[in-house]
Amino acid sequence: MLDPERHVRSEQEFAIFLARPEIAALGWPAEVVRQWLWEFGDRGQFLDDYGAVPLDRVAWFLEEVPAAEFDTMPTGASEAGLIEGFAAQHRHWLTAKSRYKPAVRADWEERGTWSVPPVLIDRSLLDPPGDGLQVIEGRTRVAILRGRRQDGLTTADRHLAWVGRPES
């Protein structure tokens, strides 16, 4: 779906990408398209992990997910252990993220959650299918949440996330 030679990541380019017939036909929220297909959809590990997902049969919902569900939520097999490794260094990753977006640190310290909801998928859509949810994009955000929870720092009880579920 993507042009791997694409290097320009301006808002104008993103708008053009959103208007592509195969992208528009999905009917996905722009933020899900941005995080999954636009930012990471042409990376080999994403294709390995999610290439079998029937994109046209995924319905997206902005849901509140209990914090405890993120404690053991996996990501794709190609990045197994990534969230756990980042969680162990959550202070570093929060500093790195807030260097470019100062509001990120404020959101964690004041509201105990992220600024931008991550993208999760119902594991029944994967091959092989599974139970529960999986992190597609937002691995660093989920890691910061896990690390803060492990260290007893401020976190909200529930967190907004884009959740892809089978269309009914």
Side-chain angles (χ1 to χ4, degrees), residues 119-135:
V119 176
L120 314 177
I121 195 162
D122 185 313
R123 298 185 80 227
S124 68
L125 287 162
L126 302 177
D127 184 22
D131 295 324
L133 299 175
Q134 179 164 311
V135 181

Side-chain angles (χ1 to χ4, degrees), residues 94 101-116 148 154-156:
L94 180 55
K101 298 178 184 172
V104 169
R105 179 178 293 280
D107 283 336
W108 280 108
E109 292 181 3
E110 295 169 14
R111 298 184 313 116
T113 193
W114 35 68
S115 304
V116 176
R148 289 180 67 87
T154 301
T155 61

Side-chain angles (χ1 to χ4, degrees), residues 12-56:
Q12 180 181 8
E13 289 288 326
F14 180 62
I16 292 168
F17 182 75
L18 279 174
R20 289 174 62 170
E22 65 273 26
I23 301 299
L26 293 172
W28 289 11
E31 190 55 39
V32 173
V33 171
R34 178 185 302 278
Q35 288 188 58
W36 185 356
L37 302 178
W38 175 250
E39 293 177 358
F40 292 99
D42 57 354
R43 293 192 180 173
Q45 70 267 25
F46 264 60
L47 296 173
D48 291 344
D49 291 342
Y50 305 109
V53 172
L55 301 181
D56 61 340

Side-chain angles (χ1 to χ4, degrees), residues 70-124:
F70 289 99
D71 289 346
T72 57
M73 192 180 294
T75 191
S78 69
E79 295 187 321
L82 181 78
I83 293 173
E84 294 80 3
F86 283 5
Q89 299 177 357
H90 66 93
R91 286 180 175 87
H92 162 76
W93 290 105
L94 180 55
T95 299
K97 293 289 182 184
S98 61
R99 184 173 341 149
Y100 302 106
K101 298 178 184 172
V104 169
R105 179 178 293 280
D107 283 336
W108 280 108
E109 292 181 3
E110 295 169 14
R111 298 184 313 116
T113 193
W114 35 68
S115 304
V116 176
V119 176
L120 314 177
I121 195 162
D122 185 313
R123 298 185 80 227
S124 68

